[in-house]
Amino acid sequence: GEDVEQSLFLSVREGDSSVINCTYTDSSSTYLYWYKQEPGAGLQLLTYIFSNMDMKQDQRLTVLLNKKDKHLSLRIADTQTGDSAIYFCAESKRPNQAGTALIFGKGTTLSVSS
Amino acid sequence: DGGITQSPKYLFRKEGQNVTLSCEQNLNHDAMYWYRQDPGQGLRLIYYSQIVNDFQKGDIAEGYSVSREKKESFPLTVTSAQKNPTAFYLCASSSQWGGTGNFYEQYFGPGTRLTVT
């Protein structure tokens, strides 16, 4: 199938690290994306990784990609209450199929307690 | 400021009525998209448009219609044929149709929450 799988909930304490995991199915995906959605708002691109990379770091964010296992993770260091949101993993779709350009997972709701 | 606007933020309609959701962008983007978001379901693509005067069905197009007469605008009509229209609707745009070979970012509007009773 074409599902992008994510766990639905993650709860952490302020200051801890958060790790959100995602598995995808399309081995031809060139780019993989993490989007963030704050309550009642649209989605914003948080970060992305090119498929020939294993890791990408951007300030408090670290993206790890295991292409063999089709596993993507997003680590947020020193998690803050402002990081509470829904995080979506997304992959690109093969161009010879009609329909979705990006396939989104169902989203992981991150809850940060102080 | 460049961006995507969706109006209204909240919309209430009676069952059996058609309703049109507005989406406008001033980013000069060619491609535009409509998604539906339900709790625990993630985003599902309704329709997309790669260029003016052209649009394609997404994964859940039944009961919806769109038009793309202007580059800036991509309105979505939720018809009475849509069996379960209550949802959060998100419009997005991107500078190009990305496929798998290119990086591209989809920019999202703030969404419209539609409630049909």
Side-chain angles (χ1 to χ4, degrees), chain A residues 30 35 37 93 99-101 106, chain B residues 37 40 48 59 100 104 106 109:
Chain A
T30 309
Y35 278 80
Q37 183 183 32
K93 185 170 182 155
T100 316
K106 291 188 163 84
Chain B
Q37 185 178 21
Y48 61 95
D59 300 314
T100 59
Y104 71 107
Q106 287 194 14

Side-chain angles (χ1 to χ4, degrees), chain A residues 10-113:
Chain A
L10 177 65
S11 184
V12 300
R13 296 183 71 87
E14 195 172 18
D16 288 349
S17 290
S18 307
V19 179
I20 301 171
N21 294 302
C22 168
T23 56
Y24 61 97
T25 58
D26 191 341
S27 57
S28 67
S29 291
T30 309
Y31 287 92
L32 295 143
Y33 306 82
W34 283 104
Y35 278 80
K36 177 183 179 182
Q37 183 183 32
E38 296 189 357
L43 278 68
Q44 285 186 300
L45 181 66
L46 198 59
T47 187
Y48 64 93
I49 189 166
F50 187 50
S51 60
N52 70 351
M53 297 169 66
D54 297 324
M55 184 180 86
K56 179 180 179 181
Q57 189 149 2
D58 184 2
Q59 299 182 338
R60 292 191 297 122
L61 304 177
T62 303
V63 179
L64 295 177
L65 176 60
N66 181 329
K67 202 171 177 184
K68 176 175 167 290
D69 294 338
K70 295 180 192 159
H71 183 266
L72 184 73
S73 68
L74 173 70
R75 179 176 179 269
I76 305 173
D78 186 25
T79 312
Q80 304 297 307
T81 53
D83 294 324
S84 294
I86 304 176
Y87 292 81
F88 291 92
C89 170
E91 64 168 342
S92 306
K93 185 170 182 155
R94 275 174 282 198
N96 61 348
Q97 293 174 5
T100 316
L102 288 181
I103 302 172
F104 288 88
K106 291 188 163 84
T108 299
T109 299
L110 174 64
S111 175
V112 183
S113 57

Side-chain angles (χ1 to χ4, degrees), chain B residues 62-115:
Chain B
E62 187 176 345
Y64 299 97
S65 66
V66 292
S67 62
R68 186 87 188 277
E69 295 174 4
K70 297 188 297 181
K71 189 174 187 178
E72 306 79 32
S73 179
F74 191 41
L76 173 75
T77 297
V78 185
T79 75
S80 56
Q82 168 49 233
K83 291 186 172 59
N84 186 16
T86 295
F88 189 53
Y89 290 88
L90 287 161
C91 178
S93 71
S94 63
S95 59
Q96 62 180 349
W97 176 253
T100 59
N102 304 315
F103 165 76
Y104 71 107
E105 178 177 352
Q106 287 194 14
Y107 292 79
F108 283 80
T112 293
R113 187 165 297 280
L114 173 65
T115 303

Side-chain angles (χ1 to χ4, degrees), chain B residues 26-56:
Chain B
N26 61 4
L27 299 165
N28 200 32
H29 284 171
D30 283 319
M32 296 187 75
Y33 316 79
W34 272 105
Y35 292 91
R36 171 183 172 136
Q37 185 178 21
D38 296 283
Q41 292 290 322
L43 273 68
R44 292 182 288 171
L45 184 69
I46 305 172
Y47 268 97
Y48 61 95
S49 168
Q50 297 179 49
I51 201 163
V52 174
N53 292 323
D54 181 66
F55 49 83
Q56 306 293 332

